[in-house]
Amino acid sequence: MRIAWIGKKSPFCGNVTYSREITNGLLDRGHDVSFLHFAQDDSEPDNWPNFKEVPLPFIYKSQVYTLPAFNATKVLKDALREIQPQIVHASLTLSTLDFVLPEICKELNLPLIATFHTAFAGKGAKLISGTQLLAYQLYAPFLDNYDKVIVFSQIQRELLAKMGVREEKIAVIPNGVDTVKYSPGVSHIKQEFNAERLFVYQGRIAPEKNVESLLRAWKQSDMAAGSKLLIVGDGLLRASLEPFYGSEYGIIWLGFVANEERRIEILRGADVFILPSLVEGLSLSLLEAMSCGLACLATDVGADGEVLEKGAGVVINSKTVRSQLKTLLPLFQDHPELTTMLGQKARKRVLERYTLSDNISSLAELYTQVLAKRPVTLGWGV
């Protein structure tokens, strides 16, 4: 199948990982994939597949949103005419281009699928971030113009349906992780940081990630000298937090780690993964940690609580993160048998529900269904 994928390669975020892993998986199964993205001359994440690339011009982009250049629409349209794909899949990048894609694809008679990543608070909760609420309100009317919209959980499906997206347009396909690559294995990371027990946070250092609650809980828990907390990631809040939560408390700031093998080595050597977010979609970092056999603690936001339910991890309330972690951190420090058991259950849950292989199979099936429902045309031979 000839696929035009519209997504992100940088700066690093969950959307970037999603695009890389899915396009790799599609290529491995023999599909012809072209990748259209807002390109820039900087270092990109490793392990990208070898596919036809089309750079789209932009004025500004960040981990959260992108501002396309004025000619981006024309460049995209011309590229699609040249590629002549059978299907277009947009991993939505929070840019104005997302809103005109349905018009472009309608003009070119191309089926269009979107993956909607925008985080949300969780079951029974309001979208506590004004930015997230605005994103849902802005996108809902336009998402109904896509042939299909992929979300990661039934909760998110219900949320979009309440905002006017027809339920038949919404497909639930959870994120998946490569369970061969992300697996338990040998690591020397504990020796490197002189740690007996190793805890990890991986993600952006941003307000919605609620990292400060984790840092305050760690500092107030009076953890043993052999317990270390690795903060893997970067973001706007790092400069204001790092000076107050440093190595004297056993906290080690690694910044953004671009090398995937290094990130896997960190996960394989750690005991506990912590994700204290206020909003999420379905965290790939969480799935990667689970797949590596870590005991995982995460807030019940987005679909993360659903991933850890029924004993696959510990689900904490996003409103009382600090107080709960003050109890749980020493518990996980002092009882390695508990973290071992939870890590085994986490790995089992990923194998049962969240493999990249199953994700690719579901996606290919969705492509086939969408194409089957479209009338046969004499277009450009698709």
Side-chain angles (χ1 to χ4, degrees):
M1 190 179 298
R2 209 157 52 252
I3 303 160
W5 184 279
I6 304 172
K8 290 179 72 174
K9 286 188 76 173
S10 64
F12 185 80
C13 62
N15 195 327
V16 169
T17 302
Y18 178 84
S19 287
R20 185 193 67 212
E21 294 299 292
I22 296 296
T23 52
N24 260 317
L26 290 169
L27 285 166
D28 286 344
R29 298 201 184 185
H31 297 286
D32 181 359
V33 181
S34 298
F35 195 90
L36 299 84
H37 65 102
F38 296 104
Q40 65 187 35
D41 294 327
D42 62 1
S43 59
E44 294 171 339
D46 52 346
N47 296 335
W48 280 91
N50 182 22
F51 42 36
K52 174 182 172 60
E53 290 191 51
V54 178
L56 301 174
F58 68 96
I59 298 171
Y60 172 81
K61 69 174 176 176
S62 69
Q63 289 179 317
V64 179
Y65 69 93
T66 304
L67 184 61
F70 295 112
N71 62 332
T73 299
K74 182 181 185 303
V75 173
L76 173 63
K77 193 181 296 185
D78 290 345
L80 291 176
R81 286 196 179 103
E82 180 184 345
I83 295 167
Q84 299 186 6
Q86 292 172 271
I87 201 157
V88 179
H89 188 151
S91 181
L92 298 180
T93 56
L94 289 181
S95 80
T96 53
L97 202 59
D98 298 342
F99 303 109
V100 298
L101 269 174
E103 295 179 20
I104 293 171
C105 288
K106 183 177 180 181
E107 178 184 335
L108 299 177
N109 193 31
L110 291 172
L112 176 61
I113 291 175
T115 299
F116 187 59
H117 296 266
T118 303
F120 59 104
K123 186 184 295 184
K126 293 181 179 179
L127 292 166
I128 54 179
S129 163
T131 303
Q132 309 300 339
L133 175 58
L134 179 61
Y136 272 77
Q137 290 174 330
L138 282 174
Y139 269 91
F142 294 90
L143 292 177
D144 203 58
N145 295 324
Y146 285 73
D147 287 273
K148 282 286 185 179
V149 178
I150 296 170
V151 295
F152 302 133
S153 73
Q154 184 62 32
I155 303 169
Q156 195 179 10
R157 184 176 190 266
E158 294 169 0
L159 185 58
L160 284 175
K162 288 178 181 178
M163 292 187 167
V165 183
R166 284 173 286 174
E167 290 197 37
E168 62 267 23
K169 289 290 187 85
I170 308 170
V172 178
I173 302 179
N175 272 337
V177 63
D178 184 335
T179 54
V180 175
K181 185 166 55 175
Y182 286 89
S183 59
V186 176
S187 171
H188 302 288
I189 203 74
K190 281 185 176 176
Q191 294 94 311
E192 179 179 340
F193 293 109
N194 193 27
E196 296 175 15
R197 302 287 287 163
L198 195 58
F199 298 70
V200 174
Y201 165 82
Q202 177 177 288
R204 296 194 311 277
I205 315 300
E208 67 272 15
K209 295 297 185 177
N210 198 26
V211 180
E212 187 171 8
S213 289
L214 165 60
L215 295 171
R216 291 178 65 190
W218 181 275
K219 187 174 179 179
Q220 294 169 2
S221 295
D222 193 25
M223 301 292 281
S227 293
K228 302 294 172 63
L229 171 62
L230 298 188
I231 304 295
V232 183
D234 213 337
L236 293 174
L237 295 183
R238 180 180 174 183
S240 63
L241 293 174
E242 187 172 356
F244 301 99
Y245 302 95
S247 57
E248 67 272 26
Y249 300 107
I251 301 171
I252 302 166
W253 296 77
L254 295 185
F256 169 59
V257 177
N259 185 279
E260 186 178 29
E261 291 183 3
R262 174 65 167 170
R263 295 198 301 272
I264 293 172
E265 181 190 18
I266 290 169
L267 292 176
R268 284 178 170 173
D271 300 293
V272 181
F273 180 87
I274 307 163
L275 192 62
S277 304
L278 297 174
V279 292
E280 280 287 349
L282 172 49
S283 170
L284 273 169
S285 291
L286 174 62
L287 293 180
E288 289 166 356
M290 294 173 68
S291 191
C292 286
L294 273 73
C296 293
L297 295 82
T299 44
D300 189 12
V301 296
D304 290 353
E306 181 181 315
V307 171
L308 295 178
E309 67 183 1
K310 297 180 181 177
V314 176
V315 181
I316 55 182
N317 190 314
S318 60
K319 296 178 181 178
T320 54
V321 170
R322 183 171 59 88
S323 61
Q324 291 176 88
L325 286 178
K326 282 176 62 178
T327 300
L328 291 168
L329 290 172
L331 179 69
F332 278 29
Q333 170 189 259
D334 298 336
H335 295 278
E337 71 283 357
L338 175 61
T339 56
T340 298
M341 178 190 69
L342 286 174
Q344 292 170 348
K345 289 188 174 183
R347 169 79 177 171
K348 182 180 178 183
R349 174 63 53 80
V350 168
L351 291 172
E352 291 172 348
R353 301 186 188 178
Y354 301 103
T355 67
L356 180 62
S357 176
D358 287 347
N359 184 295
I360 300 297
S361 295
S362 297
L363 192 56
E365 184 179 342
L366 183 67
Y367 290 165
T368 301
Q369 291 172 1
V370 169
L371 287 171
K373 290 180 180 179
R374 294 181 66 85
V376 177
T377 68
L378 299 177
W380 46 42
V382 299

